[in-house]
Amino acid sequence: EGYRNDYDRKRAQLVIARLQQAVNATANKQAFDISEGLDGWALVVAKISDATSIGTLVFNSKTLAALKSQAIKSQNAAILTEIASGSILGTPFVLVPNDLLPTLNTTETKSFEVHGSPVTIDTAVFYGDLRTFTGRTSGGLKYDVDGSASYEIDGVTYSADQRNEVVLRGSFFRGGVVKDPSVIASIPAVAVS
């Protein structure tokens, strides 16, 4: 289970990083303030849908909770029912863990390293034709068990040997690209652009 979770997390980080790089390159970004409610949400999704007519939203669980809150405030049970089926106002969405994307209307950012370079994720919601992403992994995730390796936590280096620990290290090749960045758009986490 740990193997599968780690492998899937690395692939998900790569996809998110490449989507961020695509919107950074094209500037397909539209600000949104959650206080505008579901009416404002519909308008901002209409703006970002200029990127493609076949799009899927990607956002985290906290952003979904904020959208549900807006549906509850407006007493719109139909939207809550629709959300349960995987779409919101007719647009399908993919839900990702909170540690992969910032939350809408926050100043959060996330950072992932891709091929040795950090990619800062400041987008709360991606929208686009996700079929434009292509990627691969090679060799699977391989774990090495080492009783003498050093490791880092919050900038402090520790020695497994000195601490009488065993360290599992995982590695694999991963690569991916967004073939057409023009079909990816976003809503930044921060409401004011």
Side-chain angles (χ1 to χ4, degrees):
E1 182 179 330
Y3 169 90
R4 175 57 49 200
N5 289 343
D6 200 13
Y7 185 80
D8 289 344
R9 179 161 310 285
K10 291 295 184 193
R11 288 194 322 182
Q13 288 174 350
L14 176 66
V15 172
I16 297 295
R18 292 302 191 207
L19 292 175
Q20 180 69 52
Q21 289 173 326
V23 296
N24 289 349
T26 62
N28 286 345
K29 302 177 183 184
Q30 292 292 325
F32 172 68
D33 187 337
I34 197 74
S35 66
E36 296 172 12
L38 293 175
D39 293 339
W41 175 259
L43 294 174
V44 78
V45 170
K47 288 178 186 175
I48 62 175
S49 70
D50 286 344
T52 180
S53 60
I54 356 173
T56 301
L57 295 161
V58 179
F59 48 79
N60 72 17
S61 298
K62 288 181 181 178
T63 296
L64 178 62
L67 294 170
K68 284 180 179 179
S69 173
Q70 291 301 315
I72 291 167
K73 284 179 185 174
S74 65
Q75 298 179 354
N76 194 330
I79 296 224
L80 290 171
T81 302
E82 182 187 9
I83 287 172
S85 70
S87 69
I88 183 163
L89 298 174
T91 306
F93 64 84
V94 174
L95 197 60
V96 301
N98 293 329
D99 64 343
L100 289 177
L101 281 175
T103 303
L104 193 60
N105 284 117
T106 66
T107 57
E108 293 176 352
T109 61
K110 307 291 180 187
S111 184
F112 304 127
E113 197 164 303
V114 177
H115 299 298
S117 299
V119 178
T120 300
I121 313 300
D122 62 4
T123 296
V125 180
F126 288 107
Y127 174 83
D129 184 352
L130 300 180
R131 296 174 300 175
T132 191
F133 176 84
T134 184
R136 70 182 182 95
T137 56
S138 176
L141 184 60
K142 296 182 181 181
Y143 281 110
D144 295 322
V145 178
D146 195 336
S148 62
S150 60
Y151 57 94
E152 189 174 314
I153 299 175
D154 296 328
V156 178
T157 303
Y158 298 94
S159 169
D161 184 48
Q162 289 176 341
R163 298 179 65 141
N164 198 25
E165 297 174 329
V166 175
V167 177
L168 293 174
R169 297 184 295 178
S171 62
F172 65 93
F173 171 79
R174 62 186 174 145
V177 66
V178 172
K179 295 182 287 188
D180 185 1
S182 69
V183 298
I184 306 296
S186 71
I187 302 172
V190 177
V192 180
S193 59

